[in-house]
């Protein structure tokens, strides 16, 4: 007799009960998830559909759209139509801004990880009573608005700012170093804005780390470096993945930081898209740019998650 | 990254100490092993795998201070199967952690093969641990766990694989070698922990209750395997167990601990037959305690009088001077029942008979009152007399059965 036959014969009543229970709990689950589905539908999917539709329309001269199908928005992303002979010219301007933004986001993620990991490790190895204070300290920046904090950075790094004044006073330099409105300024601003988003998930992962495993690794002749690479980092991978996502994605779409610290000269994707809805008056192009960004993030995410998941066991 | 990492668990501030190897001038503390219970164990300098000298370990500060180890001194010889036995919380794990290097003694020193190991971090000590909590790496397979130590030592791949296969066979985990350690049972995890610690063939293996999660049969098998392995490899085993039978059958020597102190060190025989203190007698094996009065003493043997006026000769540990009211200790198997109450040294009524398969326990309610006295009888096909509950019986003692002990 096969196991299936055996169970259906002798356990039919139990199986029936189980099936019933599964059905009931499934119905209950569906009911409970209704509010969540509604919120996702109204605030997530609907705007996305609108953006998608708009990206295939024609721009109205003073903003808004004309209801007429066109793929121009997507063509305009890479090409420009010559006004005289109507041919398409390859114009990589937007592409360059995208690549630059990716570079900024990648550098931000990497540096945040390098700075955030030791910070989170330090926090997680404090006595339990102290740890909450450290978490509180890390979250202090969230108490005020990002715009205000970014303006503060501006005051620190501008030509007559804190740093230059201090260096001038100390005689280290004899004329101010230009930092504001440079790539450096944007990078600094991004790091400042997103570091907490790296530290917090890393901390929550490291805090759960069983330090007896670290002892076990030491016991088995692993040096400090080996313990780090073979035990601590693999076991804190969920935090690393979460932290990288939480930094990379918003950094890619950063708007305020490059606008203020880049002075509108060094654009990032966020500013570019915003421009289309403002001075550019090209809503379809803005929508298309937003969708292209989303597609790029999704592709990057897909590879990232595929390469990092499955190797970590939780619990 | 380095800065935070330096604040690592196992890297507390080292107390300033003489340089490694500069320890020969250290003063020798008297070893407790030899001085107690009359059995003189010859000191073999240089032949000690581990020497623990006057080690204290205090946890916490101020009011919450706990002395987990209170001035412990013990020498563990090379290739010895040494067992730490004691109730929960007596400091067994703490002592192992000090030897492994995860914690540092508050006072005292620990020598490994004659060298002070205080300056050595855990990964430089040729000591491996089977952790009470197993501490298997959840992100690695069974085989990867077992091979970890060898890999860290930089052994060639082929050697690692061969050794891992050998270890898997030893602990009977071949079938599950590709499983993650979070997907195997507690007993299986314990076996992997054992294999992982054995694989690098350390000089000293610390085993913190390594068989506690195994069923009886597997446990017996692993006990035999461990003994064989220890014999073959020459590894010094420091073994922690709650199970006194395990301690008695496996150990070359046993240290009985209580509340951060080592009460007695000796062979299983010493510990069982000649316990140094009442706690030791009580903790290991079943024991009867009888009140009596010392009437005379001569050459390590006291004559003790019971309330019934019967007297008995009883040995006592060296360095202990029994006088007046004392407690006698008698093992249940060192006493015998006689049907005629008058023929016994003491007498009573049979209150209970408990059959254990290999032997039978007779609980005798003594005429003088007090706790029931237990007599153990080995069962055989031709047990000469059968007793019934309620019968009046006498109890006789074998020679050397009774001992007077410190309370
Ligand atoms: N890190 C620590 N901080 C404070 N107290 C501790 C610490 N580690 C151990 N202790 C205390 O030291 C004493 C000895 O603990 P230890 O773990 O050595 O006991 P044990 O003999 O191994 O017990 P068990 O048989 O239950 O494992 C206990 O009272 C324990 O509470
Ligand atoms: Mg313990």
């Amino acid at each position: 007799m096969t196991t299936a036959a055996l169970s259906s014969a002798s356990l039919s009543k139990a199986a029936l009960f189980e099936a019933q229970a599964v059905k009931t709990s499934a119905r209950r689950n569906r009911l409970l998830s209704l509010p969540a589905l509604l919120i996702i539908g109204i605030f997530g999917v609907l705007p996305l559909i609108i953006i998608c539709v708009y990206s295939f329309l024609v721009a109205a001269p003073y903003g808004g759209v004309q209801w007429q199908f066109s793929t121009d928005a997507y063509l305009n992303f890479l090409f420009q139509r010559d006004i005289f002979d109507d041919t398409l010219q390859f114009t990589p301007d937007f592409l360059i801004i995208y690549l630059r933004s990716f570079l900024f986001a990648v550098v931000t993620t990497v540096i945040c990880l390098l700075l955030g990991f030791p910070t989170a490790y330090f926090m997680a190895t404090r006595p339990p009573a102290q740890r909450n204070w450290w978490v509180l300290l890390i979250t202090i920046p969230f108490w005020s608005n990002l715009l205000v904090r970014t303006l503060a950075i501006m005051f620190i790094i501008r030509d007559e700012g804190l740093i230059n004044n201090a260096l001038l006073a100390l005689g280290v330099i004899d004329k101010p170093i230009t930092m504001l409105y440079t790539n450096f300024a944007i990078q600094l601003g991004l790091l400042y804005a997103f570091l907490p988003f790296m530290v917090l998930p890393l901390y929550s992962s490291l805090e759960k780390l069983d330090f007896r495993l670290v002892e076990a690794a030491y016991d088995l002749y692993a040096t400090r470096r080996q313990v780090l690479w073979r035990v601590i980092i693999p076991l804190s991978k969920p935090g690393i993945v979460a932290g990288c996502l939480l930094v990379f994605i918003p950094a890619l779409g950063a708007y305020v930081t490059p606008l203020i610290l880049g002075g509108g000269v060094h654009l990032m994707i966020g500013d570019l898209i915003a421009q289309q809805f403002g001075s550019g008056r090209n809503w379809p192009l803005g929508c298309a740019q937003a969708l292209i960004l989303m597609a790029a993030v999704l592709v990057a995410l897909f590879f990232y998650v595929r390469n990092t998941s499955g190797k970590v066991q939780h619990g | 990254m380095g800065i935070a990492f330096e604040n690592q668990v196992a890297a507390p501030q080292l107390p300033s100490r003489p340089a490694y190897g500069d320890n020969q001038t250290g003063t020798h503390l008297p070893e407790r092993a030899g001085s107690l219970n009359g059995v003189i164990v010859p000191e073999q300098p240089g032949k000690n795998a581990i020497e623990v000298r006057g080690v204290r370990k205090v946890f916490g500060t101020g009011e919450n201070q706990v002395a987990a180890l209170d001035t412990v001194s013990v020498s563990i010889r090379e290739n010895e199967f040494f067992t730490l036995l004691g109730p929960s919380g007596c400091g067994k794990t703490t002592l192992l952690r000090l030897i492994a290097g995860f914690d540092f003694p508050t006072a005292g020193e620990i020598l490994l093969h004659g060298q002070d190991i205080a300056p050595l971090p855990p990964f430089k000590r040729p000591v491996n641990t089977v952790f009470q909590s197993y501490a298997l790496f959840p992100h690695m397979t069974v085989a990867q766990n077992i091979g970890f130590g060898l890999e860290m030592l930089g052994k060639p791949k082929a050697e690692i694989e061969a050794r891992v296969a050998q270890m898997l066979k030893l602990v009977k985990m071949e079938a599950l070698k590709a499983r993650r350690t979070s997907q195997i049972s507690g007993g299986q995890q314990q076996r992997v922990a054992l294999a992982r610690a054995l694989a690098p063939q350390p000089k000293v293996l610390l085993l913190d209750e390594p068989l506690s999660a195994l069923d009886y049969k597997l446990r017996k098998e692993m006990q035999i395997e461990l003994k064989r392995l220890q014999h073959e490899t020459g590894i010094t085993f420091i073994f922690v167990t709650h199970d006194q039978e395990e301690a008695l059958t496996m150990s070359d020597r046993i240290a009985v601990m209580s509340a951060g102190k080592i009460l007695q060190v000796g062979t299983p025989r010493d510990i069982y037959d000649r316990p140094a203190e009442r706690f030791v007698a009580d903790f290991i094996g079943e024991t009867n305690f009888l009140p009596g009065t010392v009437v005379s003493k001569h050459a390590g043997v006291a004559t003790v009088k019971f309330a019934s006026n019967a007297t008995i000769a009883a040995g006592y540990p060296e360095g202990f001077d029994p006088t007046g009211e004392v407690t006698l200790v008698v093992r249940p198997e060192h006493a015998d029942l006689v049907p005629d109450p008058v023929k016994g040294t003491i007498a009573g009524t049979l209150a209970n008979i408990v059959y254990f398969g290999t032997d039978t326990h007779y609980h005798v309610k003594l005429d003088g009152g007090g706790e029931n006295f237990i007599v153990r009888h080995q069962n055989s096909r031709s047990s000469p007399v059968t007793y019934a509950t309620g019968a009046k019986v006498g109890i006789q003692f074998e020679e050397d059965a009774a001992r007077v002990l410190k309370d």
Side-chain angles (χ1 to χ4, degrees):
Chain A
M1 218 190 334
T2 65
T3 13
L6 185 103
S7 59
S8 75
S10 59
L11 298 174
S12 60
K13 218 172 208 172
L16 223 69
F17 267 123
E18 194 192 345
Q20 192 63 44
V22 167
K23 231 185 276 170
T24 324
S25 85
R27 201 178 318 131
R28 198 175 306 139
N29 282 349
R30 231 170 310 160
L31 216 68
L32 283 174
S33 57
L34 205 65
L37 289 177
L38 268 176
I39 288 173
I40 292 172
I42 294 171
F43 296 109
V45 178
L46 201 62
L48 203 63
I49 293 172
I50 295 172
I51 291 173
C52 205
V53 170
Y54 272 31
S55 73
F56 288 103
L57 296 177
V58 172
Y62 300 106
V65 287
Q66 289 175 345
W67 286 86
Q68 184 186 345
F69 178 81
S70 159
T71 53
D72 272 4
Y74 291 93
L75 280 176
N76 280 343
F77 184 72
L78 284 180
F79 303 98
Q80 218 151 38
R81 209 174 280 279
D82 197 301
I83 336 167
F84 299 109
D85 56 9
D86 213 33
T87 53
L88 289 175
Q89 298 274 316
F90 178 65
T91 1
D93 294 358
F94 294 157
L95 193 64
I96 287 170
I97 291 177
Y98 270 57
L99 291 177
R100 258 168 45 88
S101 300
F102 260 87
L103 197 66
F104 271 129
V106 167
V107 171
T108 306
T109 310
V110 170
I111 296 181
C112 278
L113 184 60
L114 291 180
L115 294 176
F117 197 89
T119 312
Y121 191 92
F122 172 82
M123 288 163 62
T125 47
R126 289 314 91 194
Q130 261 183 42
R131 290 182 202 160
N132 287 337
W133 289 106
W134 287 105
V135 173
L136 200 72
L137 277 179
I138 291 288
T139 53
I140 282 180
F142 297 145
W143 298 359
S144 67
N145 184 280
L146 177 64
L147 184 66
V148 177
R149 285 182 284 135
T150 308
L151 285 171
I153 292 188
M154 196 170 120
F155 281 106
I156 294 171
I157 63 173
R158 63 184 178 158
D159 285 2
E160 311 83 39
L162 219 61
I163 295 178
N164 274 320
N165 278 349
L167 289 179
L168 282 169
L170 287 172
V172 181
I173 50 174
D174 46 53
K175 64 176 194 296
I177 306 168
T178 310
M179 286 180 282
L180 194 57
Y181 307 140
T182 61
N183 285 336
F184 168 79
I186 296 178
Q187 191 60 71
L188 187 75
L190 289 175
L191 285 174
Y192 169 72
F194 294 113
L195 189 58
F197 294 98
M198 181 64 86
V199 173
L200 291 176
L202 279 178
Y203 165 75
S204 89
S205 237
L206 284 167
E207 199 210 0
K208 279 187 234 112
L209 187 87
D210 182 356
F211 280 92
R212 288 177 298 189
L213 297 176
V214 173
E215 288 188 346
Y218 276 137
D219 190 59
L220 291 161
Y221 314 110
T223 58
R224 293 196 208 306
R225 183 183 296 264
Q226 284 169 321
V227 170
L228 180 66
W229 284 103
R230 296 298 305 275
V231 177
I232 297 173
I233 289 180
L235 288 176
S236 49
K237 224 164 192 174
I240 296 176
V241 171
C244 286
L245 293 181
L246 284 179
V247 170
F248 181 78
I249 296 174
L252 192 58
Y255 169 67
V256 172
T257 310
L259 189 70
I260 296 177
L261 298 177
V265 190
H266 302 271
L267 286 185
M268 278 182 72
I269 301 174
D271 312 298
L272 184 66
I273 295 172
Q275 238 175 37
Q276 309 312 325
F277 291 92
S279 56
R281 287 185 191 154
N282 193 340
W283 288 22
L285 182 59
C287 290
Q289 286 170 342
L291 285 175
I292 289 168
L293 171 64
M294 211 173 96
V297 169
L298 281 179
V299 169
L301 258 185
F302 173 75
F303 284 106
Y304 182 63
V305 170
R306 202 179 59 173
N307 284 331
T308 48
S309 67
K311 289 176 191 160
V312 183
Q313 282 287 315
H314 302 261
Chain B
M1 253 187 203
I3 307 155
F5 195 57
E6 291 302 324
N7 290 311
Q8 231 336 315
V9 233
Q13 264 60 54
L14 292 178
S16 65
R17 288 182 178 277
Y20 186 48
D22 181 28
N23 60 310
Q24 305 304 346
T25 48
T27 46
H28 257 279
L29 288 165
E31 206 206 290
R32 261 192 109 149
S35 57
L36 288 168
N37 64 44
V39 182
I40 304 302
V41 181
E43 261 278 17
Q44 295 170 294
K47 279 291 175 194
N48 283 333
I50 297 276
E51 261 178 72
V52 177
R53 292 182 179 171
V55 163
R56 257 175 77 74
K57 177 68 190 176
V58 179
F59 286 111
T61 48
E63 283 174 26
N64 313 324
Q65 253 188 12
V66 201
L69 287 177
D70 195 359
T71 328
V72 164
S73 294
V74 64
S75 295
I76 296 152
R77 299 189 203 110
E78 270 175 30
N79 197 14
E80 186 171 39
F81 198 112
F82 192 89
T83 298
L84 298 174
L85 187 62
S88 186
C90 70
K92 306 181 295 287
T93 299
T94 305
L95 184 55
L96 292 195
R97 286 177 61 81
L98 295 181
I99 295 172
F102 304 132
D103 277 326
F104 286 84
T106 311
E109 55 183 0
I110 298 171
L111 311 189
L112 176 74
H113 297 290
Q115 306 242 286
D116 191 346
I117 49 173
L120 297 185
F123 56 87
K124 287 196 180 142
R125 301 187 182 192
V127 173
N128 284 156
T129 311
V130 181
F131 294 88
Q132 194 168 10
S133 58
Y134 317 147
L136 297 176
F137 304 122
H139 57 300
M140 298 181 197
T141 64
V142 166
Q144 284 168 342
N145 263 279
I146 297 175
F148 188 83
L150 295 165
E151 203 185 315
M152 293 301 109
L153 287 171
K155 298 279 189 236
K157 219 170 167 178
E159 188 187 327
I160 297 177
E161 272 167 27
R163 189 103 186 96
V164 168
Q166 195 187 343
M167 286 295 122
L168 283 167
K169 189 152 173 284
L170 176 78
V171 296
K172 305 193 170 50
M173 289 290 294
E174 293 122 308
L176 299 178
K177 66 176 176 196
R179 282 270 187 94
R180 288 198 185 275
T181 51
S182 48
Q183 297 161 348
I184 57 178
S185 77
Q188 289 164 344
Q189 290 182 24
Q190 198 161 43
R191 280 183 278 160
V192 175
L194 190 59
R196 186 179 68 174
L198 275 169
Q201 291 179 301
K203 292 240 172 62
V204 177
L205 188 63
L206 310 176
L207 305 104
D208 202 346
E209 304 189 29
L211 307 177
S212 60
L214 306 184
D215 62 71
Y216 185 79
K217 189 165 167 289
L218 190 57
R219 190 176 182 140
K220 289 282 156 214
E221 273 175 37
M222 289 306 298
Q223 285 177 359
I224 294 168
E225 275 305 325
L226 279 183
K227 270 308 265 186
R228 189 183 59 76
L229 225 117
Q230 185 243 351
H231 198 75
E232 282 174 5
T233 55
I235 298 175
T236 306
F237 277 42
I238 305 181
F239 189 87
V240 168
T241 181
H242 271 128
D243 180 346
Q244 40 154 314
E245 183 193 322
E246 191 166 87
L248 291 172
T249 52
M250 297 183 73
S251 320
D252 294 322
R253 285 192 307 153
I254 298 172
V256 181
M257 296 181 67
S258 167
K261 286 192 161 70
I262 292 187
L263 301 182
Q264 186 176 7
V265 181
T267 63
R269 228 202 166 123
D270 288 338
I271 301 277
Y272 190 82
D273 286 347
R274 286 178 293 279
E277 287 181 39
R278 183 176 167 151
F279 179 89
V280 177
D282 203 10
F283 191 73
I284 295 176
E286 264 183 295
T287 315
N288 295 300
F289 295 103
L290 290 169
T293 317
V294 176
V295 287
S296 67
K297 275 174 293 192
H298 177 68
V301 178
T303 305
V304 179
K305 194 172 71 168
F306 292 115
S308 63
N309 272 334
T311 58
I312 188 171
Y316 53 88
E318 197 180 283
F320 171 50
D321 185 29
T323 44
E325 303 274 313
V326 292
T327 306
L328 283 174
V329 177
V330 182
R331 296 283 184 199
E333 66 276 19
H334 295 161
D336 214 347
L337 290 184
V338 283
D340 183 358
V342 186
K343 291 239 173 80
T345 312
I346 50 176
T349 317
L350 251 183
N352 210 351
I353 301 175
V354 188
Y355 178 72
F356 272 94
T358 52
D359 44 37
T360 306
H361 291 192
Y362 298 93
H363 296 242
V364 181
K365 190 171 186 326
L366 296 178
D367 288 345
E371 275 181 47
N372 281 359
F373 190 98
I374 299 169
V375 174
R376 180 151 55 205
H377 238 284
Q378 200 160 21
N379 292 331
S380 69
R381 287 292 167 83
S382 55
S383 282
V385 200
T386 50
Y387 296 93
T389 41
K392 292 291 271 175
V393 289
I395 298 170
Q396 281 183 339
F397 299 105
E398 289 172 11
E399 208 175 316
D400 285 345
R403 280 176 72 76
V404 187
L405 291 187
K406 264 191 288 201
D407 283 320

